[in-house]
Amino acid sequence: MERFIKAIDSFTDAIGKFLSILIVPMIGVVLYTAVMRYWFKTSVPWGFEIALFIFGIYCIGGGAFAHLHKSHVNVDVLTTRLSPTGKAILEIFGQVVILAVLAITIYLGSVWAYKSTVIMERSIHGTEWNPQIWWFKWFVPFSSVLFALQCLAELLKQVVVLWQKRKG
């Protein structure tokens, strides 16, 4: 089980590090768009939406990475008063709740992305570029699956803690 947990952690870490690099091309697009608009008085019709796509992928894809590294906001009023066993049980409960929400997100996100793919949906922003966006919508269920895998790994880590407490 520990190899499985480490494999998920490593995969999540690698995906997160890759996604963190996306901020560089996003900054490049925003900078290019701003320079073209303010110095050369010309618009870049694709600039806004490309930056939006990159930032969207960066944000929703980074959820599992943030969960792995405990980068989210945590209210620890209750957990400071709990024993290690109590903390593990509370953590397992929290992971189960998150997994339930992610199961709904995966299902509904997949339906949403599938419908968008069938109609080859395009942007609603009304730019002259008007790109297809169906492919972008698949990042919601994909990112949710990555997040669910990381939640499963976190849940299993706490099961190992409880198992070791029981044995020792």
Side-chain angles (χ1 to χ4, degrees):
M1 181 170 1
E2 288 185 25
R3 280 186 18 200
F4 178 70
I5 293 169
K6 283 184 180 183
I8 292 173
D9 285 353
S10 296
F11 181 68
T12 299
D13 198 52
I15 294 289
K17 286 177 180 173
F18 171 75
L19 289 174
S20 71
I21 296 169
L22 289 179
I23 206 74
V24 174
M26 188 198 77
I27 290 170
V29 169
V30 171
L31 183 63
Y32 177 77
T33 303
V35 166
M36 293 304 288
R37 180 179 300 133
Y38 293 109
W39 286 354
F40 297 103
K41 308 291 187 222
T42 184
S43 71
V44 179
W46 50 265
F48 170 74
E49 287 171 311
I50 290 291
L52 190 69
F53 291 148
I54 294 170
F55 190 65
I57 293 166
Y58 172 80
C59 287
I60 64 175
F65 183 78
H67 197 58
L68 169 66
H69 293 286
K70 310 287 186 255
S71 300
H72 51 279
V73 174
N74 193 14
V75 179
D76 55 358
V77 173
L78 183 61
T79 56
T80 57
R81 294 181 170 92
L82 294 175
S83 66
T85 302
K87 288 179 186 177
I89 291 169
L90 184 62
E91 181 74 20
I92 288 170
F93 175 74
Q95 297 304 326
V96 169
V97 170
I98 294 169
L99 282 167
V101 171
L102 287 169
I104 294 166
T105 305
I106 292 165
Y107 173 73
L108 293 177
S110 296
V111 169
W112 178 54
Y114 175 76
K115 287 179 179 178
S116 181
T117 303
V118 167
I119 64 169
M120 301 301 276
E121 186 176 6
R122 292 189 169 273
S123 174
I124 62 167
H125 293 290
T127 64
E128 58 191 70
W129 184 44
N130 195 24
Q132 292 184 357
I133 60 168
W134 60 267
W135 61 271
F136 180 68
K137 291 187 176 188
W138 282 105
F139 280 94
V140 171
F142 175 72
S143 297
S144 297
V145 167
L146 293 177
F147 203 144
L149 280 172
Q150 190 57 47
C151 283
L152 178 62
E154 298 301 320
L155 186 145
L156 291 174
K157 288 174 191 175
Q158 297 308 314
V159 168
V160 168
V161 166
L162 288 178
W163 185 261
Q164 289 173 346
K165 282 272 187 208
R166 186 176 170 175
K167 285 176 88 176

